[in-house]
Amino acid sequence: MKRIDSPPQKWRRVGELSELTLFPVKSFAGISLQDAECTEYGIQTVGDGPLKLRDRFFIVYGEQTKEFKTARTYPKMVLINVSLDGTDAVKLSAPDMPELRVKIPQPSENNKHERCTFWYGDTVETVDCGDTAAQWLSKYMLNQDCGMRLGYYLVDTMPRRVPFKEYMQCYKTLRSSDMGVYSDLCSFMLMTESSIDDLKTRMSSDVSIVPRQFRPNFLVRGSVPYEEDKWEWIKIGETAVFRNVKPCTRCVFTTLNPVTAVMDPKREPLRTLKGYRQVTDPAMLKVEGTSPALGIFMGLYHTGTVRVGDDVFVGDE
């Protein structure tokens, strides 16, 4: 008898992958990719070099409070770009700031490990990236010489996040291995163009939104609006297989323009989403509150390389 947590044998095509985006630092600008490797920690750049950019492996946190920081409070963060710089470092760039080379921390007894407060009082572990990076971030975000720190996740030396007990009770398909490093929850988030297009028709014509406001890793073209809500198993390309874990509930971050770093004064598209995409399931309300949902979080069941233009399939059993 086939196990309920086993991927299906039959698949039905529902669209194609139109955009693929990696976010190296939580709340920084995303990077558009043509292909990516899907690992249990999220997507990462493809290549033979020793260093790869990986999704949300960096985090910004307060020097004194040790609380993680996002563009919800510091909108300018979405204008910071990250790129690889050689075989052991990344380069940070932002408006009116000099470029900065940040060497990636390596496992060492001299590393400065920190415990940072995350969502709902949870904590995550990170390795501090040094005073130069901290000063650069503090200058850009606070116009001060200190206050912010940059942290990095070391896979082989740091513990994996554990899902909140309330989420495990509400979402039966959620596994510990589905948790992202510094993402809000899971390692992968998928959205569809059709759902975003339908959302646009419900808003005033003077409001402009782009998919990047929702920060999906995968954007799918060709599907029916909101049918992704009911997709259980998803396959992208030839080998990468995912399972729908839960709806992606939305917050004020969606009102932030990723190009200008300005929040919409009418709180769009969040305001419109609240009018017709509100969470209503009693169990979900208990853990999500009254947030609207758009897009889905996914867990990985089979690794693989995905490419823009790949067919997207759902289980057909």
Side-chain angles (χ1 to χ4, degrees), residues 147-180:
M148 296 295 179
R149 308 292 299 188
L150 182 66
Y152 182 76
Y153 183 81
L154 290 173
V155 172
D156 297 327
T157 64
M158 292 184 171
R160 189 75 182 264
R161 287 170 61 194
V162 177
F164 311 123
K165 180 178 67 175
E166 294 79 4
Y167 272 85
M168 294 288 283
Q169 292 172 343
C170 182
Y171 302 107
K172 303 303 182 182
T173 62
L174 176 62
R175 310 164 301 169
S176 294
S177 59
D178 296 334
M179 298 294 284

Side-chain angles (χ1 to χ4, degrees), residues 69-77 252 263:
K69 305 299 181 182
T70 76
R72 296 167 180 85
T73 307
Y74 302 94
K76 290 171 60 176
M77 291 176 72
V252 69
M263 288 189 171

Side-chain angles (χ1 to χ4, degrees), residues 62-112:
E63 186 170 22
Q64 299 298 323
T65 65
K66 306 301 187 238
E67 293 178 344
F68 83 110
K69 305 299 181 182
T70 76
R72 296 167 180 85
T73 307
Y74 302 94
K76 290 171 60 176
M77 291 176 72
V78 299
L79 302 182
I80 304 176
N81 288 284
V82 183
S83 59
L84 287 174
D85 191 3
T87 60
D88 63 350
V90 295
K91 181 171 62 179
L92 304 184
S93 60
D96 302 317
M97 292 291 293
E99 293 183 343
L100 179 70
R101 189 176 193 269
V102 179
K103 191 171 181 179
I104 300 294
Q106 299 298 317
S108 168
E109 294 181 357
N110 297 322
N111 283 335
K112 181 182 178 183

Side-chain angles (χ1 to χ4, degrees), residues 75-245:
K76 290 171 60 176
M77 291 176 72
V78 299
L79 302 182
I80 304 176
N81 288 284
V82 183
S83 59
L84 287 174
D85 191 3
T87 60
D88 63 350
V90 295
K91 181 171 62 179
L92 304 184
S93 60
D96 302 317
M97 292 291 293
E99 293 183 343
L100 179 70
R101 189 176 193 269
V102 179
K103 191 171 181 179
I104 300 294
Q106 299 298 317
S108 168
E109 294 181 357
N110 297 322
N111 283 335
K112 181 182 178 183
H113 285 241
E114 298 278 14
R115 296 292 300 182
C116 299
T117 304
F118 211 59
W119 291 117
Y120 307 111
D122 191 18
T123 59
V124 293
E125 191 168 328
T126 197
V127 168
D128 187 80
C129 291
D131 292 338
T132 303
Q135 185 176 27
W136 190 93
L137 282 174
S138 301
K139 187 67 175 179
Y140 178 70
M141 294 172 60
L142 304 175
N143 199 28
Q144 299 175 3
D145 290 332
C146 60
M148 296 295 179
R149 308 292 299 188
L150 182 66
Y152 182 76
Y153 183 81
L154 290 173
V155 172
D156 297 327
T157 64
M158 292 184 171
R160 189 75 182 264
R161 287 170 61 194
V162 177
F164 311 123
K165 180 178 67 175
E166 294 79 4
Y167 272 85
M168 294 288 283
Q169 292 172 343
C170 182
Y171 302 107
K172 303 303 182 182
T173 62
L174 176 62
R175 310 164 301 169
S176 294
S177 59
D178 296 334
M179 298 294 284
V181 174
Y182 300 129
S183 56
D184 284 350
L185 191 71
C186 295
S187 299
F188 303 89
M189 201 268 280
L190 176 148
M191 297 187 65
T192 65
E193 290 186 4
S194 60
S195 296
I196 297 174
D197 289 342
D198 181 79
L199 168 61
K200 291 178 181 178
T201 68
R202 300 169 185 266
M203 298 189 303
S204 172
S205 60
D206 63 344
V207 177
S208 176
I209 60 171
V210 294
R212 189 64 65 89
Q213 285 174 240
F214 302 95
R215 299 176 74 81
N217 298 119
F218 305 131
L219 188 65
V220 177
R221 175 187 298 140
S223 63
V224 176
Y226 311 112
E227 72 169 332
E228 64 273 16
D229 295 346
K230 298 180 180 180
W231 294 347
E232 180 179 3
W233 293 96
I234 300 98
K235 184 171 76 167
I236 302 177
E238 297 180 358
T239 59
V241 176
F242 310 84
R243 192 176 193 181
N244 186 342
V245 170

